[in-house]
Amino acid sequence: MNRARLADRLDDIETDGYLLDAAQDDANQLYLSGFTGPDPFLTLYVDGSVHLLVSGLEYGRATEEAAADTVERHAEYDYEYGGREERYDMYAAFVRDKGVESVSMPPRAPVGTADAMRDRGIDVAVDGDDALAEVRAVKTADEIDAIREAQRANEAAMRAAESLLADADVAGAGDEPEAGTLLYEGEPLTSERVAEEIEVTLLRHGCALDETIVAGGTQAADPHNRGSGPLRADEAIIVDIFPRSKATKYNGDMTRTFCVGEPSDRLREWYDLTERAFEAALDAIEPGATGADVHAAACEVYEDAGEPTFRTDPDTETGFIHSTGHGIGLDVHELPRLASGGGELEPGHVVTVEPGLYDPAVGGVRIEDLVVVTEDGYENLTEYPISFGV
Amino acid sequence: MNRARLADRLDDIETDGYLLDAAQDDANQLYLSGFTGPDPFLTLYVDGSVHLLVSGLEYGRATEEAAADTVERHAEYDYEYGGREERYDMYAAFVRDKGVESVSMPPRAPVGTADAMRDRGIDVAVDGDDALAEVRAVKTADEIDAIREAQRANEAAMRAAESLLADADVAGAGDEPEAGTLLYEGEPLTSERVAEEIEVTLLRHGCALDETIVAGGTQAADPHNRGSGPLRADEAIIVDIFPRSKATKYNGDMTRTFCVGEPSDRLREWYDLTERAFEAALDAIEPGATGADVHAAACEVYEDAGEPTFRTDPDTETGFIHSTGHGIGLDVHELPRLASGGGELEPGHVVTVEPGLYDPAVGGVRIEDLVVVTEDGYENLTEYPISFGV
């Protein structure tokens, strides 16, 4: 954590303190508290100090683990398994005990807690800028190393997926299953089977993940479709993996699109175009450029080739129908945005670059690497070849 | 989902509608919308109908997947990658479009959205009772089957863990590593190695999980310690697994405590006592009994044996230092609570029963099954033997 940056940013806040009520699955909470509590707990930032309030069950681990100046437990406020209102009374007492009469909370903080503090005379402002998210966007060297390490695990998983595809046979005419279906050890090779191999590989490399995308054919034309059922030859197969290191909690992210057999001319053209859009976006990344500039660079490649984007047609359902990339860290999606309206890039920003084309009549193609913005450009944190054929 | 129960409960709400702003990781959202959107989206319940507002990227999948009466996309409100205020304008327009002037939101709904609706003249009440959580607590037959299936995967993982322990050798005096360390294929058997085996087994059975607990010795004395490093003979090793089915999103939960070698008399006594507390709690489960009654039944076994509980000493850090159990479903921890203040049990409630004893000087012991409350008692959804020795 960049303490100086945090203090700079949070000391700008006009309230006395900055209050979080969340568990470790909230990236702001994990970042500010440094504690992996599984149930919601309070973190209060006041004048450069971080104060935690946790349950007795979590107290021992919190005192060892948290990056906090003080850790208190519920018993210190004479609260034990009481009702909701008693819990809020404790929260208010904790806040006042730190000399705080007004707090800011992030936009996604719980309204129940915010309103309860207001009912108890503590001013609550919503920090619409989500200051902690802005602080988190700029990574320290340690954070970049953590992301790099998650990306190494990601590459191992991508290799495992590509190997399954490379080793697959193709069912012939008149065969069961249907001709063109990929076969692995005699069985149809499914999205689920490839995803399982990815997930097991990631576990063996210290990463967990909720989901992964292995989507072929028309499924690949929906950027958020996770994919299911048998994969087929001559179609584009999108493999998008975003693992989280269990040790550091930082994420990696990478997408490759593969084809077993012979892609159509149109698919081949899409792949080459997407690779050019990808390169154009990378070339645009440097401090001072905006996320909007990088997105524009990718869009222009597609638009010049006559493919629709949201810039040329806000209602389009085919073409380049998402942003060029997003920040990544403790969250898979965080600041900055490489999109229309995306702000200025700074050294230490870690972003995905992932242009793609989608149309149910053709399929889907996406190429994604992860890079860190440096003083004079960017460093690519991804070391995996870009190739359509397997 | 129990639609009748939902309507009964939500139609009691005094506002015009019930509003959610969350992604699929929020159990209320997943339950009410039936949609696995990875980014926050809106769900509005009005007079028995469910309305969704999603981004264009998620629209296709939402229309297919959601249990909604209507699905709209941002473009229908002329919003496209705008700023925060424009986004809230769209949300308010969506709510008003459904004839709604006042909404309830759950306690953990985002304060940014709640305040923004208020600023736009829509009344927002915090539903302190979390009505959806109460509806979710009572499971349908399909939901019970989903939990049962997750528990089957859990049992396979527990078998894998127990096998590693059963197959372990014990380092002798004068050996490297330290005498008493468990060895597997010549290497020290660590918490991490057992956890990996659990996780891989769960993946092979269609489940994902964020974390699992494999904690031995003094680590086991902290109920939330995940465990790390070499495991040892003659110590109690707690294995607590809570997997989530990737297909249904419902969770299982089970804990066993194992000992390789010879436990001390004290540990053996703790194990027997915990098994008795476990049986006493199970015996207390029936419709009309309260969660507090069930918790009391477990506490009494411990208290009669002279072990401290939160009832006899609210400040104790050793003994039985957590509640007896919790509801489980789309969340690992949900209603009802088997704890002081826990309310009345109803048929369809699915709860864990998990008494335990903790003391850094002795270690930790916990036994946990998952049961469903039936018309005349309970059905145990867990089919795994309870045995200290491996």
Short mmCIF file of all heavy atoms in Angstrom, two decimals, chain A residues 245-292:
data_model
loop_
_atom_site.label_atom_id
_atom_site.label_comp_id
_atom_site.label_asym_id
_atom_site.label_seq_id
_atom_site.Cartn_x
_atom_site.Cartn_y
_atom_site.Cartn_z
N SER A 245 -4.47 -14.76 -6.89
CA SER A 245 -3.49 -15.41 -6.02
C SER A 245 -4.09 -15.58 -4.63
O SER A 245 -4.58 -14.62 -4.04
CB SER A 245 -2.22 -14.58 -5.94
OG SER A 245 -1.48 -14.97 -4.79
N LYS A 246 -4.03 -16.78 -4.10
CA LYS A 246 -4.58 -16.99 -2.77
C LYS A 246 -3.72 -16.30 -1.71
O LYS A 246 -4.22 -15.86 -0.69
CB LYS A 246 -4.70 -18.49 -2.48
CG LYS A 246 -5.82 -19.11 -3.31
CD LYS A 246 -6.27 -20.42 -2.72
CE LYS A 246 -5.34 -21.53 -3.16
NZ LYS A 246 -5.87 -22.85 -2.76
N ALA A 247 -2.42 -16.20 -1.97
CA ALA A 247 -1.53 -15.59 -0.98
C ALA A 247 -1.66 -14.07 -0.98
O ALA A 247 -1.80 -13.46 0.06
CB ALA A 247 -0.09 -16.00 -1.26
N THR A 248 -1.63 -13.46 -2.16
CA THR A 248 -1.60 -11.99 -2.20
C THR A 248 -2.96 -11.37 -2.45
O THR A 248 -3.14 -10.18 -2.21
CB THR A 248 -0.66 -11.49 -3.33
OG1 THR A 248 -1.26 -11.81 -4.60
CG2 THR A 248 0.71 -12.12 -3.23
N LYS A 249 -3.91 -12.14 -3.00
CA LYS A 249 -5.27 -11.67 -3.36
C LYS A 249 -5.27 -10.80 -4.62
O LYS A 249 -6.31 -10.23 -4.96
CB LYS A 249 -5.95 -10.91 -2.21
CG LYS A 249 -5.91 -11.61 -0.86
CD LYS A 249 -6.79 -12.82 -0.82
CE LYS A 249 -6.80 -13.45 0.58
NZ LYS A 249 -7.47 -14.75 0.57
N TYR A 250 -4.11 -10.65 -5.27
CA TYR A 250 -4.08 -9.88 -6.51
C TYR A 250 -4.42 -10.78 -7.70
O TYR A 250 -4.17 -11.98 -7.68
CB TYR A 250 -2.73 -9.19 -6.71
CG TYR A 250 -2.63 -7.95 -5.85
CD1 TYR A 250 -2.27 -8.04 -4.50
CD2 TYR A 250 -2.96 -6.70 -6.36
CE1 TYR A 250 -2.22 -6.91 -3.69
CE2 TYR A 250 -2.92 -5.56 -5.55
CZ TYR A 250 -2.55 -5.68 -4.23
OH TYR A 250 -2.52 -4.56 -3.44
N ASN A 251 -5.00 -10.14 -8.74
CA ASN A 251 -5.52 -10.88 -9.89
C ASN A 251 -4.61 -10.77 -11.10
O ASN A 251 -3.92 -9.77 -11.29
CB ASN A 251 -6.89 -10.31 -10.28
CG ASN A 251 -7.94 -10.58 -9.25
OD1 ASN A 251 -8.48 -11.68 -9.17
ND2 ASN A 251 -8.23 -9.58 -8.42
N GLY A 252 -4.67 -11.79 -11.96
CA GLY A 252 -4.15 -11.73 -13.31
C GLY A 252 -5.32 -11.74 -14.28
O GLY A 252 -6.48 -11.93 -13.87
N ASP A 253 -5.04 -11.54 -15.57
CA ASP A 253 -6.10 -11.55 -16.58
C ASP A 253 -5.46 -11.70 -17.95
O ASP A 253 -4.50 -10.99 -18.27
CB ASP A 253 -6.89 -10.23 -16.50
CG ASP A 253 -8.28 -10.32 -17.14
OD1 ASP A 253 -8.58 -11.34 -17.80
OD2 ASP A 253 -9.07 -9.37 -16.98
N MET A 254 -5.97 -12.62 -18.75
CA MET A 254 -5.44 -12.83 -20.09
C MET A 254 -6.49 -13.52 -20.94
O MET A 254 -7.25 -14.36 -20.44
CB MET A 254 -4.18 -13.70 -20.05
CG MET A 254 -3.69 -14.13 -21.44
SD MET A 254 -2.02 -14.86 -21.47
CE MET A 254 -2.13 -16.04 -20.14
N THR A 255 -6.54 -13.16 -22.20
CA THR A 255 -7.43 -13.84 -23.15
C THR A 255 -6.66 -14.23 -24.40
O THR A 255 -5.85 -13.45 -24.90
CB THR A 255 -8.60 -12.91 -23.58
OG1 THR A 255 -9.29 -12.46 -22.43
CG2 THR A 255 -9.56 -13.66 -24.50
N ARG A 256 -6.90 -15.42 -24.87
CA ARG A 256 -6.43 -15.83 -26.18
C ARG A 256 -7.61 -16.41 -26.94
O ARG A 256 -8.55 -16.94 -26.33
CB ARG A 256 -5.31 -16.88 -26.08
CG ARG A 256 -4.00 -16.34 -25.54
CD ARG A 256 -3.36 -15.32 -26.48
NE ARG A 256 -2.08 -14.82 -25.97
CZ ARG A 256 -1.96 -13.70 -25.25
NH1 ARG A 256 -3.04 -12.98 -24.92
NH2 ARG A 256 -0.78 -13.30 -24.84
N THR A 257 -7.54 -16.32 -28.27
CA THR A 257 -8.55 -16.94 -29.11
C THR A 257 -7.85 -17.97 -29.98
O THR A 257 -6.82 -17.67 -30.60
CB THR A 257 -9.25 -15.88 -29.99
OG1 THR A 257 -9.83 -14.90 -29.13
CG2 THR A 257 -10.34 -16.53 -30.83
N PHE A 258 -8.37 -19.19 -29.95
CA PHE A 258 -7.74 -20.29 -30.69
C PHE A 258 -8.69 -20.86 -31.74
O PHE A 258 -9.91 -20.75 -31.61
CB PHE A 258 -7.36 -21.42 -29.72
CG PHE A 258 -6.39 -21.02 -28.65
CD1 PHE A 258 -6.77 -21.02 -27.31
CD2 PHE A 258 -5.09 -20.63 -28.97
CE1 PHE A 258 -5.88 -20.65 -26.30
CE2 PHE A 258 -4.19 -20.26 -27.97
CZ PHE A 258 -4.58 -20.27 -26.63
N CYS A 259 -8.10 -21.48 -32.74
CA CYS A 259 -8.90 -22.21 -33.73
C CYS A 259 -8.21 -23.53 -34.03
O CYS A 259 -7.03 -23.55 -34.39
CB CYS A 259 -9.07 -21.37 -35.00
SG CYS A 259 -10.11 -22.18 -36.23
N VAL A 260 -8.95 -24.62 -33.87
CA VAL A 260 -8.46 -25.94 -34.28
C VAL A 260 -8.99 -26.19 -35.69
O VAL A 260 -10.20 -26.10 -35.91
CB VAL A 260 -8.99 -27.04 -33.33
CG1 VAL A 260 -8.50 -28.41 -33.78
CG2 VAL A 260 -8.59 -26.75 -31.89
N GLY A 261 -8.10 -26.42 -36.64
CA GLY A 261 -8.55 -26.62 -38.02
C GLY A 261 -8.40 -25.34 -38.81
O GLY A 261 -7.46 -24.57 -38.59
N GLU A 262 -9.34 -25.09 -39.71
CA GLU A 262 -9.23 -23.98 -40.65
C GLU A 262 -10.29 -22.92 -40.39
O GLU A 262 -11.47 -23.16 -40.66
CB GLU A 262 -9.37 -24.50 -42.09
CG GLU A 262 -8.09 -25.10 -42.63
CD GLU A 262 -6.90 -24.12 -42.55
OE1 GLU A 262 -7.07 -22.95 -42.94
OE2 GLU A 262 -5.83 -24.54 -42.06
N PRO A 263 -9.90 -21.74 -39.92
CA PRO A 263 -10.89 -20.69 -39.76
C PRO A 263 -11.36 -20.18 -41.12
O PRO A 263 -10.62 -20.27 -42.10
CB PRO A 263 -10.12 -19.59 -39.01
CG PRO A 263 -8.69 -19.83 -39.36
CD PRO A 263 -8.54 -21.30 -39.55
N SER A 264 -12.57 -19.64 -41.16
CA SER A 264 -13.05 -18.99 -42.39
C SER A 264 -12.18 -17.77 -42.68
O SER A 264 -11.48 -17.28 -41.80
CB SER A 264 -14.50 -18.56 -42.20
OG SER A 264 -14.56 -17.57 -41.18
N ASP A 265 -12.25 -17.28 -43.92
CA ASP A 265 -11.51 -16.06 -44.26
C ASP A 265 -11.92 -14.90 -43.36
O ASP A 265 -11.10 -14.10 -42.94
CB ASP A 265 -11.76 -15.69 -45.73
CG ASP A 265 -11.07 -16.66 -46.68
OD1 ASP A 265 -10.22 -17.45 -46.20
OD2 ASP A 265 -11.39 -16.64 -47.88
N ARG A 266 -13.22 -14.85 -43.08
CA ARG A 266 -13.74 -13.76 -42.25
C ARG A 266 -13.15 -13.82 -40.84
O ARG A 266 -12.73 -12.80 -40.29
CB ARG A 266 -15.27 -13.90 -42.18
CG ARG A 266 -15.96 -12.78 -41.46
CD ARG A 266 -16.46 -11.72 -42.46
NE ARG A 266 -17.29 -10.72 -41.76
CZ ARG A 266 -16.86 -9.50 -41.45
NH1 ARG A 266 -15.64 -9.12 -41.79
NH2 ARG A 266 -17.65 -8.66 -40.83
N LEU A 267 -13.10 -15.01 -40.26
CA LEU A 267 -12.52 -15.17 -38.92
C LEU A 267 -11.04 -14.80 -38.92
O LEU A 267 -10.54 -14.13 -38.01
CB LEU A 267 -12.69 -16.60 -38.41
CG LEU A 267 -13.95 -16.93 -37.61
CD1 LEU A 267 -13.92 -18.39 -37.16
CD2 LEU A 267 -14.08 -16.02 -36.37
N ARG A 268 -10.34 -15.23 -39.93
CA ARG A 268 -8.91 -14.93 -40.06
C ARG A 268 -8.70 -13.42 -40.14
O ARG A 268 -7.82 -12.86 -39.48
CB ARG A 268 -8.36 -15.66 -41.31
CG ARG A 268 -7.01 -15.21 -41.81
CD ARG A 268 -5.91 -15.35 -40.78
NE ARG A 268 -5.65 -16.76 -40.44
CZ ARG A 268 -4.84 -17.13 -39.44
NH1 ARG A 268 -4.25 -16.21 -38.67
NH2 ARG A 268 -4.64 -18.41 -39.17
N GLU A 269 -9.55 -12.77 -40.93
CA GLU A 269 -9.49 -11.31 -41.08
C GLU A 269 -9.75 -10.64 -39.72
O GLU A 269 -9.05 -9.70 -39.33
CB GLU A 269 -10.58 -10.93 -42.09
CG GLU A 269 -10.61 -9.51 -42.58
CD GLU A 269 -11.86 -9.31 -43.46
OE1 GLU A 269 -12.13 -10.17 -44.34
OE2 GLU A 269 -12.59 -8.33 -43.23
N TRP A 270 -10.74 -11.14 -39.01
CA TRP A 270 -11.07 -10.59 -37.69
C TRP A 270 -9.90 -10.74 -36.73
O TRP A 270 -9.62 -9.84 -35.93
CB TRP A 270 -12.28 -11.34 -37.10
CG TRP A 270 -13.59 -10.76 -37.45
CD1 TRP A 270 -13.91 -10.01 -38.54
CD2 TRP A 270 -14.78 -10.90 -36.68
NE1 TRP A 270 -15.22 -9.68 -38.51
CE2 TRP A 270 -15.80 -10.21 -37.37
CE3 TRP A 270 -15.12 -11.54 -35.49
CZ2 TRP A 270 -17.10 -10.13 -36.91
CZ3 TRP A 270 -16.40 -11.47 -35.03
CH2 TRP A 270 -17.39 -10.77 -35.73
N TYR A 271 -9.24 -11.90 -36.80
CA TYR A 271 -8.12 -12.13 -35.89
C TYR A 271 -7.00 -11.13 -36.17
O TYR A 271 -6.47 -10.51 -35.25
CB TYR A 271 -7.61 -13.57 -36.01
CG TYR A 271 -6.69 -13.95 -34.87
CD1 TYR A 271 -7.21 -14.53 -33.71
CD2 TYR A 271 -5.32 -13.69 -34.91
CE1 TYR A 271 -6.39 -14.84 -32.63
CE2 TYR A 271 -4.50 -13.99 -33.85
CZ TYR A 271 -5.04 -14.58 -32.71
OH TYR A 271 -4.23 -14.88 -31.64
N ASP A 272 -6.67 -10.97 -37.45
CA ASP A 272 -5.59 -10.05 -37.82
C ASP A 272 -5.93 -8.62 -37.42
O ASP A 272 -5.09 -7.87 -36.91
CB ASP A 272 -5.31 -10.14 -39.32
CG ASP A 272 -4.76 -11.51 -39.70
OD1 ASP A 272 -4.28 -12.24 -38.79
OD2 ASP A 272 -4.82 -11.88 -40.89
N LEU A 273 -7.20 -8.25 -37.64
CA LEU A 273 -7.67 -6.91 -37.31
C LEU A 273 -7.58 -6.68 -35.80
O LEU A 273 -7.15 -5.61 -35.33
CB LEU A 273 -9.12 -6.79 -37.78
CG LEU A 273 -9.73 -5.41 -37.98
CD1 LEU A 273 -8.87 -4.55 -38.91
CD2 LEU A 273 -11.14 -5.58 -38.58
N THR A 274 -7.97 -7.68 -35.03
CA THR A 274 -7.96 -7.56 -33.57
C THR A 274 -6.52 -7.48 -33.06
O THR A 274 -6.21 -6.73 -32.13
CB THR A 274 -8.72 -8.74 -32.94
OG1 THR A 274 -10.09 -8.66 -33.34
CG2 THR A 274 -8.64 -8.72 -31.42
N GLU A 275 -5.63 -8.21 -33.71
CA GLU A 275 -4.23 -8.12 -33.32
C GLU A 275 -3.71 -6.71 -33.60
O GLU A 275 -2.93 -6.15 -32.80
CB GLU A 275 -3.41 -9.19 -34.07
CG GLU A 275 -2.09 -9.47 -33.39
CD GLU A 275 -1.35 -10.68 -33.95
OE1 GLU A 275 -1.97 -11.45 -34.74
OE2 GLU A 275 -0.17 -10.86 -33.62
N ARG A 276 -4.15 -6.11 -34.70
CA ARG A 276 -3.72 -4.73 -35.01
C ARG A 276 -4.33 -3.73 -34.03
O ARG A 276 -3.66 -2.78 -33.60
CB ARG A 276 -4.08 -4.39 -36.45
CG ARG A 276 -3.08 -4.97 -37.47
CD ARG A 276 -3.54 -4.79 -38.92
NE ARG A 276 -4.03 -3.44 -39.14
CZ ARG A 276 -5.03 -3.12 -39.99
NH1 ARG A 276 -5.63 -4.08 -40.66
NH2 ARG A 276 -5.39 -1.86 -40.13
N ALA A 277 -5.59 -3.93 -33.69
CA ALA A 277 -6.23 -3.04 -32.71
C ALA A 277 -5.52 -3.14 -31.36
O ALA A 277 -5.30 -2.14 -30.66
CB ALA A 277 -7.71 -3.40 -32.56
N PHE A 278 -5.16 -4.37 -30.99
CA PHE A 278 -4.43 -4.65 -29.76
C PHE A 278 -3.09 -3.90 -29.75
O PHE A 278 -2.73 -3.21 -28.79
CB PHE A 278 -4.25 -6.17 -29.69
CG PHE A 278 -3.35 -6.68 -28.61
CD1 PHE A 278 -3.80 -6.83 -27.31
CD2 PHE A 278 -2.04 -7.08 -28.90
CE1 PHE A 278 -2.97 -7.35 -26.32
CE2 PHE A 278 -1.21 -7.60 -27.93
CZ PHE A 278 -1.68 -7.73 -26.63
N GLU A 279 -2.35 -3.99 -30.86
CA GLU A 279 -1.04 -3.32 -30.97
C GLU A 279 -1.21 -1.80 -30.93
O GLU A 279 -0.43 -1.08 -30.30
CB GLU A 279 -0.32 -3.73 -32.25
CG GLU A 279 0.08 -5.20 -32.31
CD GLU A 279 1.16 -5.58 -31.29
OE1 GLU A 279 1.79 -4.66 -30.70
OE2 GLU A 279 1.35 -6.79 -31.06
N ALA A 280 -2.25 -1.32 -31.60
CA ALA A 280 -2.49 0.13 -31.64
C ALA A 280 -2.79 0.65 -30.25
O ALA A 280 -2.32 1.73 -29.85
CB ALA A 280 -3.65 0.44 -32.60
N ALA A 281 -3.59 -0.11 -29.48
CA ALA A 281 -3.92 0.31 -28.12
C ALA A 281 -2.67 0.32 -27.25
O ALA A 281 -2.41 1.28 -26.52
CB ALA A 281 -4.98 -0.63 -27.53
N LEU A 282 -1.86 -0.73 -27.36
CA LEU A 282 -0.61 -0.79 -26.58
C LEU A 282 0.27 0.41 -26.91
O LEU A 282 0.83 1.06 -26.02
CB LEU A 282 0.14 -2.09 -26.89
CG LEU A 282 -0.38 -3.37 -26.23
CD1 LEU A 282 0.45 -4.56 -26.68
CD2 LEU A 282 -0.36 -3.25 -24.71
N ASP A 283 0.39 0.71 -28.22
CA ASP A 283 1.25 1.82 -28.64
C ASP A 283 0.80 3.15 -28.03
O ASP A 283 1.60 4.08 -27.90
CB ASP A 283 1.25 1.94 -30.17
CG ASP A 283 2.09 0.85 -30.81
OD1 ASP A 283 2.83 0.17 -30.08
OD2 ASP A 283 1.98 0.67 -32.04
N ALA A 284 -0.49 3.25 -27.71
CA ALA A 284 -1.03 4.52 -27.20
C ALA A 284 -0.80 4.68 -25.70
O ALA A 284 -1.08 5.74 -25.14
CB ALA A 284 -2.52 4.61 -27.52
N ILE A 285 -0.34 3.62 -25.04
CA ILE A 285 -0.22 3.68 -23.58
C ILE A 285 1.06 4.36 -23.13
O ILE A 285 2.16 3.91 -23.45
CB ILE A 285 -0.28 2.25 -22.98
CG1 ILE A 285 -1.67 1.66 -23.22
CG2 ILE A 285 0.04 2.29 -21.48
CD1 ILE A 285 -1.84 0.26 -22.68
N GLU A 286 0.90 5.47 -22.42
CA GLU A 286 2.03 6.15 -21.79
C GLU A 286 1.46 7.13 -20.78
O GLU A 286 0.28 7.51 -20.86
CB GLU A 286 2.88 6.88 -22.83
CG GLU A 286 2.13 7.95 -23.59
CD GLU A 286 2.99 8.63 -24.67
OE1 GLU A 286 4.19 8.35 -24.73
OE2 GLU A 286 2.42 9.44 -25.42
N PRO A 287 2.26 7.54 -19.81
CA PRO A 287 1.75 8.50 -18.83
C PRO A 287 1.29 9.77 -19.53
O PRO A 287 1.94 10.22 -20.48
CB PRO A 287 2.97 8.80 -17.95
CG PRO A 287 3.91 7.66 -18.17
CD PRO A 287 3.68 7.19 -19.57
N GLY A 288 0.16 10.30 -19.11
CA GLY A 288 -0.35 11.52 -19.74
C GLY A 288 -1.41 11.23 -20.78
O GLY A 288 -2.31 12.03 -21.01
N ALA A 289 -1.28 10.09 -21.48
CA ALA A 289 -2.37 9.67 -22.37
C ALA A 289 -3.57 9.32 -21.49
O ALA A 289 -3.40 8.97 -20.32
CB ALA A 289 -1.95 8.47 -23.20
N THR A 290 -4.76 9.41 -22.04
CA THR A 290 -5.94 9.04 -21.25
C THR A 290 -6.42 7.65 -21.66
O THR A 290 -6.08 7.14 -22.74
CB THR A 290 -7.10 10.03 -21.49
OG1 THR A 290 -7.52 9.91 -22.85
CG2 THR A 290 -6.69 11.45 -21.16
N GLY A 291 -7.23 7.07 -20.77
CA GLY A 291 -7.88 5.80 -21.11
C GLY A 291 -8.73 5.96 -22.36
O GLY A 291 -8.84 5.02 -23.17
N ALA A 292 -9.29 7.15 -22.54
CA ALA A 292 -10.09 7.41 -23.74
C ALA A 292 -9.22 7.37 -24.99
O ALA A 292 -9.63 6.86 -26.05
CB ALA A 292 -10.79 8.76 -23.61
#
